[in-house]
Amino acid sequence: MHYELFAVLCIIVCLLILGAEYLWLSLLAKEQEDHKNKYTAAAKKIESMVEGILYSPTEQSRKNETEALKKLMGDDPHLFEIISAQLCFWEEYGGDDAFENKAEVIDSVYEALDPVKLFSDILKSGNKYKIGYACRRLADYDAYDYLGDIYDLSKSRNRNVAYNAAMALSRLGYAEGVAEYVLRIENDKRYSFRIINELFAGFSADRAELADLIFEKCDSYMKAVVVKAIAPYGIKRFRQLFIDGTVSKNTDMRIACVKALGELADPRDEHLLLTAAKDKDWVVRSSAVKGLQKLATPAAVQGVKDATKDKEWWVRQAAAYSLVDMNVNISEIEDVLSGYDKYASDAVKYALYRAVDLKES
């Protein structure tokens, strides 16, 4: 009897929990729907108001409309983004034949809305979910007056805030602040590689200066990461560093430096790339093959042809595509196509077919 009563009580408790969970999910869904409806309605109203501002018959009516728009926006950054999207649309597509001072009017609306104040106020709000976003937007508006505040936030213990603040520093070209951030995360290997690439990609000043600041104090892991990050930019002043790195015992460093040398495409480094094409690590070999492609000298062509016989499929594939991209004559690779090495022949044939398909499409 006691067991039956206990079972009934358990069922009742489970039903109550399920009911509470259902109620909570329903309330959450309603809140999300209300939120969506709120901004949908606001977007329609903003669209009408922006059009009204642009076509206002007098300067005073335009000012009144702009003030009303600013009041509607308040301190809501989401509403500002909706307004900004509307202004961008009109700047790009709307009303070209209707009035001549469109750009001036749009600029005056931005000035009245004062986005820098809007986003700088968010920095003081303590809302960690919005602060990072505000840092990025301040950087978009070149708000150098807030560089110190953003720099302080890049040292936050909150990962999201620190990351977005660092990206803002990159956009503003503050090399010292970005370098400090990089050195703080250099031991977080799963986190740092992607971010270093983003920081260099978004850096608005001298990437070589930023790399120098990091190289001064970073460990070997971070040095390899930075070399990989700067490789696409062909920074010639680091050529000797890249050359030295091709014989490093650290595989990551060899991969990074071979890639970087390949991007420089300096004929003086041909022998280094040919040597790297026979490295014990297949990623190094593949990187060297891609670098030889950019040189396209007779020796480079022969080195890439030799790589089509590599034991590793990825290297053969890289070599095949490189041969096609080097625009060599079919006669020059006839020995590969008709040779005894079926894998090399198939790789080159596939690359040729792919090249033809891409051109036709």
Side-chain angles (χ1 to χ4, degrees):
M1 189 70 179
H2 292 296
Y3 291 115
E4 292 177 359
L5 181 60
F6 179 73
V8 170
L9 288 173
C10 286
I11 291 171
I12 292 172
V13 170
C14 288
L15 289 172
L16 288 172
I17 293 172
L18 289 172
E21 185 176 352
Y22 176 78
L23 179 61
W24 178 75
L25 290 172
S26 298
L27 291 172
L28 183 62
K30 185 178 184 305
E31 183 180 345
Q32 291 176 337
E33 186 65 24
D34 290 344
H35 184 270
K36 179 182 176 182
N37 291 337
K38 169 189 170 184
Y39 285 109
T40 299
K44 292 180 180 179
K45 189 171 184 179
I46 287 168
E47 182 179 356
S48 175
M49 293 178 75
V50 169
E51 186 173 0
I53 291 170
L54 292 167
Y55 286 100
S56 288
T58 65
E59 189 63 32
Q60 187 57 50
S61 64
R62 178 172 291 134
K63 287 182 179 180
N64 293 339
E65 288 281 351
T66 302
E67 282 301 315
L69 183 65
K70 184 176 182 179
K71 185 176 180 181
L72 173 66
M73 180 188 79
D75 59 358
D76 190 334
H78 193 159
L79 290 178
F80 169 77
E81 299 297 357
I82 294 174
I83 296 169
S84 182
Q86 274 294 312
L87 292 172
C88 287
F89 171 81
W90 277 95
E91 187 172 27
E92 189 71 23
Y93 304 108
D96 288 332
D97 299 328
F99 49 90
E100 297 179 357
N101 63 335
K102 179 176 67 173
E104 294 178 16
V105 172
I106 290 174
D107 286 345
S108 71
V109 175
Y110 273 119
E111 185 178 350
L113 296 178
D114 198 358
V116 170
K117 182 180 186 309
L118 172 69
F119 294 119
S120 63
D121 286 346
I122 293 175
L123 297 186
K124 308 167 192 172
S125 69
N127 187 327
K128 293 178 180 178
Y129 298 102
K130 292 183 178 180
I131 287 176
Y133 156 76
C135 288
R136 300 284 283 262
R137 295 300 275 132
L138 284 169
D140 290 338
Y141 286 100
D142 295 329
Y144 289 98
D145 289 344
Y146 295 91
L147 184 63
D149 297 314
I150 296 171
Y151 168 67
D152 290 339
L153 288 166
S154 73
K155 295 183 276 188
S156 170
R157 292 183 179 181
N158 182 284
R159 253 187 176 191
N160 182 62
V161 170
Y163 159 71
N164 282 290
M167 289 300 297
L169 294 178
S170 175
R171 170 69 178 77
L172 293 169
Y174 183 36
E176 290 83 357
V178 176
E180 286 180 24
Y181 172 78
V182 168
L183 293 170
R184 278 195 294 273
I185 67 169
E186 68 178 339
N187 292 321
D188 195 343
K189 293 179 173 52
R190 283 192 290 181
Y191 186 63
S192 61
F193 179 71
R194 172 184 61 82
I195 290 175
I196 305 309
N197 281 294
E198 290 181 357
L199 289 169
F200 275 96
F203 194 66
S204 63
D206 184 358
R207 292 187 178 94
E209 178 191 359
L210 174 58
D212 264 333
L213 289 171
I214 299 170
F215 286 149
E216 284 177 12
K217 299 180 181 179
C218 72
D219 60 20
S220 58
Y221 165 78
M222 183 55 69
K223 181 174 284 190
V225 172
V226 171
V227 171
K228 286 181 184 178
I230 63 175
Y233 307 108
I235 303 176
K236 295 180 180 179
R237 64 182 280 188
F238 293 126
R239 177 172 171 261
Q240 189 56 52
L241 184 152
F242 302 155
I243 290 172
D244 295 341
T246 61
V247 293
S248 172
K249 294 180 179 179
N250 183 314
T251 301
D252 285 337
M253 191 63 177
R254 290 204 312 281
I255 293 169
C257 289
V258 169
K259 283 183 177 179
L261 278 184
E263 292 293 339
L264 288 181
D266 191 324
R268 292 175 295 175
D269 301 324
E270 180 183 74
H271 69 289
L272 290 173
L273 293 174
L274 288 169
T275 301
K278 298 177 181 178
D279 192 272
K280 62 183 179 180
D281 186 272
W282 72 265
V283 182
V284 175
R285 298 198 300 275
S286 179
S287 300
V289 164
K290 293 173 183 176
L292 289 169
Q293 171 199 324
K294 294 179 181 295
L295 296 178
T297 61
V301 171
Q302 185 58 51
V304 175
K305 284 170 65 177
D306 292 342
T308 61
K309 303 172 186 178
D310 196 277
K311 62 182 180 181
E312 175 60 47
W313 181 89
W314 291 105
V315 180
R316 296 197 301 273
Q317 192 75 349
Y321 278 107
S322 293
L323 280 177
V324 172
D325 289 340
M326 291 164 95
N327 292 320
V328 296
N329 294 325
I330 294 295
S331 59
E332 294 182 66
I333 55 174
E334 183 62 35
D335 56 331
V336 177
L337 292 170
S338 59
Y340 71 90
D341 191 328
K342 182 178 182 301
Y343 293 111
S345 175
D346 288 347
V348 175
K349 286 176 183 176
Y350 178 75
L352 286 168
Y353 294 150
R354 285 286 297 158
V356 172
D357 286 344
L358 289 172
K359 286 179 182 178
E360 289 181 349
S361 60

